[in-house]
Amino acid sequence: MQIFIKCDCGNEVTIPAPAGKYTQFRDYLETKQFHFGKAEIKNGELKEFKIDCDKCKRQITLGVD
């Protein structure tokens, strides 16, 4: 598998995510001027998290519940 993230400003990253393997998501984001932002955790479960583009300062919140 691969995870693709592309901002409207053109900044993009491709994160390799081999099936059944562990991928350090944050490290890959930082290689291409993105960063893993604030996360919301309720009752011990991840509910949402933000990804920020360091080039243009746009952000997106992803829900996972």
Side-chain angles (χ1 to χ4, degrees), residues 3-51:
I3 301 166
F4 299 97
I5 299 172
K6 183 175 181 180
C7 184
D8 294 337
C9 74
N11 189 17
E12 61 183 77
V13 62
T14 301
I15 301 169
K21 300 291 182 180
Y22 179 85
T23 298
Q24 188 61 39
F25 192 65
R26 181 187 314 256
D27 289 350
Y28 279 100
L29 289 176
E30 291 175 356
T31 66
K32 297 293 184 173
Q33 294 184 319
F34 286 100
H35 73 269
F36 183 81
K38 184 178 175 182
E40 181 182 335
I41 299 171
K42 287 186 181 176
N43 298 323
E45 292 184 15
L46 179 65
K47 296 296 181 181
E48 64 183 36
F49 64 94
K50 291 184 179 182
I51 296 175

